[in-house]
Amino acid sequence: MTQYGAEFLWVLILASLGLSALAIFISVSRHRRYHSRAASMPNSSDDVASEAARKVLREFEKNGQSVDAALVTWSPETLRKILAEDLPDAQVIVVSNREPYIHNEKNGEVELVVPASGLVSALEPITRVCAGTWIAYGGGSADRVVVDGDDRVQVPPGNPSYTLRRVWLTDEQYQGYYLGFANEGLWPLCHIAFTRPTFRDSDWEAYEAVNRKFADTVVAEARNERPIVLVQDYHFALLPRMIRERLPEAIIITFWHIPWPNSEVFSICPWRERILDGLLGSSIIGFHTQFHANNFTESVDRFMESRIERADAAVSYGGQTTLVHAYPISIEWPVELLKTLPSVAESQARVRERFGILADAKLCVGVERLDYTKGILDRFHALEELFIRHPETIGQVVFLQIAAPSRGTLPAYKHLHEECLRFAEELNERYGSETYRPVVLVAEHHSQKNVYEIYRAADICLVTSLHDGMNLVAKEFVASRDDEQGVLLLSTFAGAARELLEALIVNPYDAAMMSETMLQALTMGPDEQRERMRRMREIVRDNNVYRWAGSMLLDAARLRKRGELDRVTALSDRQVSLNGDNVVPMFERRQAAGYR
């Protein structure tokens, strides 16, 4: 190395050492200034505590519930404790299309009807516990007769525990909003049942107007600016945003009870951005399964200017964060209705006598609305396949299908009804006799009590949806069998299949496979039935409807606490701006956080 090269190298080394020394000096100075400033701040510990609390909240929000949620015994008392301790003085408002109690006029008198609806059976116990307000469409012929001057009626009859607030719609509004956009548009769009969705401008306008009407009702019923609003299902995709615009501090939990399609299918909808914008007005959006939650997030990512926080299961959009979580819905446990029902043996005798079923035949049952997503025709195909493959079962098996009429004015439903009647008649002609009908099709509405009696009488229950959110029939059947007998055939495309793993899981599109599974169920011994049913009953008991609601309410409480922390931070920032420092008196911090 030359003399000049060596001198240049030494200059570089000295310059490097000088810069390092300067960096250390600056770092030490900043460190001293920080500690000096912290020592002069009486409330610096509050900032540390606030940040620690934020981190805890973020962890809770990331997982949707606390780590020990599975260890909690979920009951009405658990919900009351959550409301009292985590959400004191919170007003709970439920919004749905279907009302929990319907008043109809019959022979000049008012008759009370409790609809056999999965949504109602899940939400009604929750609303009773919360002593809340349930807002729903009043469609009963005598609904107007029993309400007070504010369109309210106290329910349940005989033991009122919450308020039912009815909303009135014209026939034109109902036709466009419910039968049109909701059930000819969104319903087939969200279900993979190969029925083309129909979208009309007039239906969309009615849907938007009805959502606005329900938003007006929510605001009118809110006692303050911070209610907890539980918006139910695809009838109200625009409602969360409409409520948010008028009650910005409300906690809005939207639960989507049906599947959410992948983004390619969802792109069919002409108002896809409007629907996503409406739903993102929610604080929390819930789905039955994580798969459907993921589909929703992908749709938002594809069509909206947003930021997806995948680690936190959240979407940031328009300056607001919305949690997107899976909350598997369930039923109450124990089922109070069981106390009023006869024994299993008596139920079996009564059901067989009512429907003319031979005493020694195995009874298979299906219970649902007459809907093309439920796989009713596919069960008939599987039964025919069973008779072809195993002719010895002819005369030994009866299939009782309870199919409550639904949306009968829509072409797809009218066609389905006609096809079911035709196929059932063909099977009875081909395989029946004077004393034996292999298929008993009952297209009538049944009370919840009658439905549970049918569950208790069944040897096999078929829940073979082509595509479904959860399907509570599966859980109701399991809950009804306190004798620990009976076999559940469950579609792999129903959300309940993610939980009830001891059911016989079937692909309803595969008639041959389903027929062989039916044979397995018909020949299953009582010990195996008991082992499977006992485990499924444990699942339904532990993952009951109180856990479903409690998980959402706990997340709502955490969001509310996070909002309080944000207000503390905002107050601190304001004080910094006004005073030139960040010293905020403890009293003001506690007030801002809602403490007294």
Side-chain angles (χ1 to χ4, degrees):
M1 180 182 295
T2 65
Q3 179 179 356
Y4 295 110
E7 289 176 354
F8 180 73
L9 178 62
W10 277 109
V11 168
L12 286 177
I13 293 172
L14 290 173
S16 176
L17 290 173
L19 289 172
S20 298
L22 179 62
I24 294 171
F25 175 78
I26 292 172
S27 176
V28 170
S29 298
R30 286 180 176 175
H31 184 71
R32 286 175 176 173
R33 281 200 303 272
Y34 171 81
H35 281 282
S36 175
R37 185 181 183 88
S40 66
M41 288 173 55
N43 296 312
S44 60
S45 61
D46 295 332
D47 294 326
V48 175
S50 294
E51 181 57 29
R54 285 176 183 273
K55 289 180 179 178
V56 171
L57 287 170
R58 281 196 292 270
E59 287 304 310
F60 277 134
E61 291 163 3
K62 186 181 300 183
N63 299 300
Q65 59 187 26
S66 61
V67 292
D68 60 350
L71 304 178
V72 176
T73 300
W74 292 92
S75 66
E77 289 68 34
T78 312
L79 278 191
R80 291 189 187 99
K81 186 176 181 182
I82 290 171
L83 290 167
E85 296 182 0
D86 296 279
L87 294 164
D89 303 321
Q91 179 192 12
V92 176
I93 300 175
V94 176
V95 185
S96 71
N97 176 74
R98 178 72 62 90
E99 56 182 338
Y101 295 93
I102 303 170
H103 292 90
N104 285 325
E105 186 177 348
K106 186 176 182 181
N107 300 325
E109 297 183 354
V110 175
E111 178 187 50
L112 179 70
V113 177
V114 181
S117 159
L119 183 146
V120 168
S121 64
L123 280 169
E124 212 273 336
I126 304 309
T127 317
R128 273 193 268 119
V129 170
C130 297
T133 298
W134 189 321
I135 300 172
Y137 161 60
S141 57
D143 275 354
R144 291 180 184 267
V145 176
V146 300
V147 296
D148 62 17
D150 296 312
D151 298 325
R152 302 184 185 118
V153 60
Q154 300 301 309
V155 291
N159 184 28
S161 57
Y162 67 92
T163 301
L164 173 57
R165 170 68 154 86
R166 285 171 169 154
V167 178
W168 316 116
L169 303 177
T170 65
D171 290 342
E172 184 180 3
Q173 285 176 323
Y174 187 77
Q175 179 75 31
Y177 137 81
Y178 179 77
L179 294 175
F181 189 76
N183 288 308
E184 283 191 290
L186 289 179
W187 180 267
L189 178 73
C190 292
H191 288 86
I192 304 173
F194 310 107
T195 298
R196 177 173 174 155
T198 300
F199 296 109
R200 308 179 189 92
D201 284 342
S202 58
D203 291 344
W204 170 257
E205 290 168 3
Y207 185 83
E208 191 173 22
V210 170
N211 274 245
R212 181 73 63 188
K213 191 167 190 175
F214 271 83
D216 293 340
T217 307
V218 170
V219 174
E221 291 294 325
R223 294 195 297 262
N224 54 51
E225 295 182 351
R226 306 177 68 200
I228 296 174
V229 186
L230 306 179
V231 177
Q232 303 303 310
D233 225 354
Y234 62 102
H235 311 93
F236 299 111
L238 305 180
L239 185 58
R241 176 65 60 199
M242 293 175 175
I243 297 172
R244 175 72 59 209
E245 290 170 351
R246 299 171 65 181
L247 296 173
E249 294 187 34
I251 295 292
I252 304 169
I253 304 173
T254 300
F255 194 83
W256 194 265
H257 289 262
I258 64 176
W260 188 276
N262 63 51
S263 61
E264 187 70 18
V265 171
F266 183 67
S267 69
I268 294 171
C269 181
W271 300 279
R272 61 199 183 197
E273 289 86 0
R274 291 286 306 280
I275 288 173
L276 292 173
D277 175 80
L279 289 170
L280 290 172
S282 309
S283 313
I284 301 170
I285 302 176
F287 296 89
H288 290 302
T289 68
Q290 189 60 48
F291 182 72
H292 297 152
N294 293 345
N295 280 350
F296 174 80
T297 302
E298 289 171 7
S299 298
V300 172
D301 196 21
R302 179 172 177 180
F303 298 115
M304 309 297 285
E305 290 290 337
S306 60
R307 186 174 73 253
I308 309 300
E309 308 285 356
R310 298 192 185 276
D312 297 327
V315 174
S316 294
Y317 169 76
Q320 178 198 330
T321 298
T322 300
L323 305 185
V324 182
H325 287 171
Y327 304 95
I329 200 171
S330 193
I331 60 175
E332 67 175 335
W333 186 282
V335 179
E336 291 296 318
L337 189 60
L338 289 181
K339 297 176 182 178
T340 67
L341 292 177
S343 67
V344 169
E346 189 176 348
S347 295
Q348 290 172 342
R350 287 161 55 118
V351 168
R352 288 172 184 268
E353 181 181 3
R354 186 186 315 152
F355 297 106
I357 298 169
L358 299 175
D360 57 348
K362 292 281 189 178
L363 178 58
C364 306
V365 303
V367 179
E368 50 260 307
R369 291 182 305 102
L370 190 61
D371 192 285
Y372 53 76
T373 66
K374 301 302 180 182
I376 298 173
L377 287 171
D378 300 87
R379 290 173 209 164
F380 291 169
H381 283 294
L383 181 64
E384 183 177 35
E385 191 74 18
L386 176 70
F387 290 158
I388 293 171
R389 288 167 169 260
H390 304 280
E392 70 277 9
T393 61
I394 299 173
Q396 305 300 312
V397 181
V398 174
F399 181 58
L400 171 61
Q401 176 63 60
I402 305 298
S406 174
R407 307 163 191 167
T409 60
L410 300 182
Y413 290 83
K414 291 171 68 175
H415 177 70
L416 173 67
H417 189 193
E418 293 167 359
E419 201 170 354
C420 285
L421 289 173
R422 179 186 56 78
F423 203 162
E425 187 177 343
E426 287 179 2
L427 289 174
N428 287 334
E429 288 180 359
R430 192 174 303 136
Y431 300 104
S433 65
E434 291 183 1
T435 59
Y436 170 64
R437 285 190 304 161
V439 178
V440 180
L441 176 61
V442 184
E444 299 173 0
H445 291 283
H446 283 68
S447 69
Q448 198 74 352
K449 184 174 181 178
N450 288 339
V451 165
Y452 267 84
E453 191 172 61
I454 292 169
Y455 291 148
R456 288 165 72 78
D459 296 297
I460 303 170
C461 181
L462 288 89
V463 179
T464 55
S465 310
L466 304 180
H467 199 195
D468 223 329
M470 175 57 68
N471 197 306
L472 292 179
V473 168
K475 294 187 176 184
E476 289 174 350
F477 172 69
V478 168
S480 74
R481 299 312 296 255
D482 48 9
D483 64 333
E484 298 181 342
Q485 292 296 290
V487 183
L488 174 63
L489 261 71
L490 181 56
S491 168
T492 187
F493 304 115
R498 308 297 191 276
E499 296 179 78
L500 303 179
L501 302 180
E502 283 71 28
L504 300 182
I505 307 300
V506 297
N507 177 357
Y509 292 94
D510 187 344
M513 176 264 202
M514 194 151 65
S515 71
E516 292 301 320
T517 308
M518 288 176 69
L519 182 66
Q520 179 187 352
L522 291 168
T523 57
M524 186 182 294
D527 290 341
E528 183 179 353
Q529 290 184 40
R530 183 175 298 106
E531 185 177 349
R532 289 173 177 270
M533 186 61 71
R534 185 172 293 168
R535 175 57 185 152
M536 289 191 290
R537 285 174 62 81
E538 289 174 357
I539 293 295
V540 177
R541 179 198 66 198
D542 295 342
N543 297 346
N544 58 40
V545 73
Y546 303 109
R547 179 175 183 175
W548 173 72
S551 299
M552 291 189 292
L553 290 176
L554 281 173
D555 281 348
R558 291 167 190 134
L559 286 177
R560 178 150 289 178
K561 290 173 183 175
R562 183 166 190 168
E564 291 163 354
L565 288 172
D566 288 341
R567 280 191 288 277
V568 168
T569 303
L571 178 60
S572 297
D573 292 343
R574 254 192 328 271
Q575 291 294 331
V576 169
S577 176
L578 293 173
N579 302 334
D581 56 36
N582 59 353
V583 179
V584 182
M586 176 66 77
F587 177 73
E588 291 182 21
R589 284 176 179 266
R590 291 178 64 83
Q591 274 197 323
Y595 299 107
R596 296 291 183 267

